[in-house]
Amino acid sequence: MSGSTFGGFQGIVFDAYGTLFDVAALDRVCATVSDDPTAFTHMWRAKQLEYAVLRTVMDRYVDFGQITSDALDYTATCNRVDLEPIRRGELMRAWQELPAFMEVHLALDHLHAAGQRLGVLSNGTRQMLDPLLRHNGLQEYFLAVFTSERVQAFKPHISVYMLVTERFHARMNEILFVTANGFDVAGAKSAGLSVCRVNRAGTPLDPLGAEPDLTVRDLQELVKLLLGDPDSA
Amino acid sequence: MSGSTFGGFQGIVFDAYGTLFDVAALDRVCATVSDDPTAFTHMWRAKQLEYAVLRTVMDRYVDFGQITSDALDYTATCNRVDLEPIRRGELMRAWQELPAFMEVHLALDHLHAAGQRLGVLSNGTRQMLDPLLRHNGLQEYFLAVFTSERVQAFKPHISVYMLVTERFHARMNEILFVTANGFDVAGAKSAGLSVCRVNRAGTPLDPLGAEPDLTVRDLQELVKLLLGDPDSA
């Protein structure tokens, strides 16, 4: 899709974990408790997502901090890791100190400077997200941070995506949602948002019956499509 | 829980995949397409469950045969396996020829002989389940086979579990639901059924906010609790 035909959005809203912030970076702190930190991190993240979706289907909401904590306990038990309270605290706090992907800061800076209204839409809580945005110096770019707490359900449930129209006073398809998570592509498309998939690793898309409007390798590529090449502007 | 206090159910309903039938046995047919058939089987099954739950959250139902097929395609692509149509057909058919776990036949025989009304409640379709029950010679034991097709949603959504009361004319907690799947324990308890967890591998229970009424190692242990030791009867 060329830059000349893609754009004119009333707002651009980003998923947080995996899209703006690198969850795989948890393996550094997981190395303090596991001999295979990559596998430990992978299971922790997979269980976190699994529990969020299962609880939404069962209508048994607890907040994403609790879900992250439950997923850690299960992962530790499965890996026969006896988590001391201090280590446990470090692992949980690491979610508030995840690094943003390399190109994120500059990409948001260009979009913000161009007058785009930006937001974050995440399954996380404000208590998890606000420190994370501050830690990365990104909070100034966002007009709004939408979270699952408001609707007591998790993405990909439509009620979470619907939050964005209220604040941006726009139709769903006038808002561009940007995500690296396959389930989030399908959920956002099903809800009626315009969707950009970020596919940094070149992985196939889960076949869930909905395709993104656009796929990019990273946010720099998205910015070029939306604004033209910012370096030559 | 002792046999003297556990029993008196109006019906006993079993989950199919993983509870009556051994999904891990797919690794034999997966060995025809993958050098790591255990990992291939594990991913196929995990994606099948993931897609079922995600589609339920998004209200984008397709039947479990289609979901199993989608999960196979994704798993093959991720593993760089180019599935020929003949091999693909063999892999899909293997779901209709899964072996029952060793003790299942005798356990069902004892319960049936004792006059218990038995059923199956599965995310699978009748087209997948009927041949599977016939293949294992188990169809005669079951008064009813309840499937997700009727409600166009998948377990652990409450609507699927609600199907059992209609046929058995009993209150939810008067029916014992037997499952090896952690999400199914939580879903069935949330829906109000009495629940027996089968934990063959001794794995921890996913922390989803609901505990089973009883945990057994296999169906033989359950039969002993319900009927006393059948071999001495």
Side-chain angles (χ1 to χ4, degrees), chain B residues 89-167:
Chain B
E90 286 170 358
L91 266 65
M92 287 298 294
R93 262 196 310 284
W95 285 88
Q96 301 182 5
E97 295 169 2
L98 294 171
F101 286 102
M102 197 170 51
E103 86 287 5
V104 166
H105 205 292
L106 196 58
L108 294 175
D109 204 57
H110 283 306
L111 293 171
H112 188 255
Q116 276 285 0
R117 298 189 301 172
L118 307 178
V120 172
L121 174 65
S122 170
N123 276 342
T125 61
R126 291 303 296 253
Q127 208 180 348
M128 296 173 77
L129 293 165
D130 288 348
L132 177 60
L133 291 166
R134 274 200 306 276
H135 174 78
N136 284 279
L138 297 178
Q139 76 278 21
E140 64 182 306
Y141 296 125
F142 298 110
L143 192 64
V145 177
F146 308 100
T147 73
S148 55
E149 290 160 294
R150 282 277 303 284
V151 292
Q152 308 265 301
F154 294 107
K155 295 189 287 182
H157 194 275
I158 188 171
S159 62
V160 189
Y161 301 103
M162 296 292 287
L163 288 169
V164 303
T165 55
E166 188 185 313
R167 184 72 171 80

Side-chain angles (χ1 to χ4, degrees), chain A residues 47 50-51 53-58 60 70 74 77-78 154 156-158 183 186-187 190 204-210, chain B residues 47 50-51 53-58 60 70 74 77-78 154 156-158 183 186-187 190 204-210:
Chain A
K47 282 288 165 185
E50 182 186 330
Y51 294 168
V53 179
L54 287 170
R55 282 185 175 272
T56 299
V57 170
M58 295 189 291
R60 292 183 78 97
D70 290 344
Y74 185 86
T77 304
C78 281
F154 294 107
H157 194 276
I158 188 170
F183 72 86
S190 296
L205 185 67
D206 285 297
L208 291 165
Chain B
K47 282 288 165 186
E50 182 187 330
Y51 294 169
V53 179
L54 286 171
R55 282 185 175 272
T56 299
V57 170
M58 294 189 292
R60 292 184 77 97
D70 289 344
Y74 185 85
T77 304
C78 281
F154 294 107
H157 194 275
I158 188 171
F183 72 86
S190 297
L205 185 67
D206 285 296
L208 291 165

Side-chain angles (χ1 to χ4, degrees), chain A residues 57-212:
Chain A
V57 170
M58 295 189 291
D59 201 13
R60 292 183 78 97
Y61 175 85
V62 293
D63 77 36
F64 205 61
Q66 184 62 51
I67 279 181
T68 305
S69 174
D70 290 344
L72 174 57
D73 287 339
Y74 185 86
T75 303
T77 304
C78 281
N79 288 277
R80 296 163 205 268
V81 170
D82 189 16
L83 278 182
E84 292 166 47
I86 287 177
R87 286 271 175 263
R88 199 176 190 296
E90 287 170 358
L91 266 65
M92 287 297 295
R93 261 195 312 282
W95 284 89
Q96 302 180 7
E97 295 170 1
L98 293 171
F101 287 101
M102 198 170 50
E103 86 287 5
V104 165
H105 205 290
L106 196 59
L108 293 175
D109 204 56
H110 284 305
L111 293 172
H112 188 255
Q116 276 286 359
R117 297 190 301 172
L118 306 178
V120 171
L121 175 65
S122 171
N123 276 340
T125 61
R126 292 302 295 251
Q127 208 178 348
M128 297 172 76
L129 292 166
D130 289 348
L132 178 60
L133 291 166
R134 275 198 306 275
H135 175 78
N136 284 280
L138 298 178
Q139 75 277 21
E140 64 181 306
Y141 296 125
F142 297 110
L143 192 65
V145 178
F146 308 101
T147 74
S148 55
E149 289 161 294
R150 282 278 304 283
V151 291
Q152 307 266 301
F154 294 107
K155 294 188 287 181
H157 194 276
I158 188 170
S159 63
V160 189
Y161 301 103
M162 296 292 287
L163 288 169
V164 302
T165 56
E166 188 185 309
R167 185 72 172 80
F168 282 129
H169 307 293
R171 283 191 290 269
M172 289 292 271
N173 68 359
E174 292 173 338
I175 295 169
L176 180 66
F177 182 65
V178 183
T179 182
N181 293 304
F183 72 86
D184 214 9
V185 168
K189 276 308 290 180
S190 296
L193 290 163
S194 294
V195 176
C196 172
R197 179 184 183 215
V198 181
N199 188 12
R200 291 189 171 85
T203 48
L205 185 67
D206 285 297
L208 291 165
E211 301 284 324

Side-chain angles (χ1 to χ4, degrees), chain B residues 12-56:
Chain B
I12 303 177
V13 177
F14 297 85
D15 170 56
Y17 304 119
T19 302
L20 297 176
F21 304 106
D22 187 1
V23 175
L26 289 170
D27 63 2
R28 267 170 260 161
V29 63
C30 289
T32 63
V33 300
S34 169
D35 292 335
D36 190 349
T38 303
F40 191 96
T41 299
H42 189 264
M43 184 176 185
W44 187 7
R45 169 66 165 161
K47 282 288 165 186
Q48 181 199 50
L49 294 174
E50 182 187 330
Y51 294 169
V53 179
L54 286 171
R55 282 185 175 272
T56 299

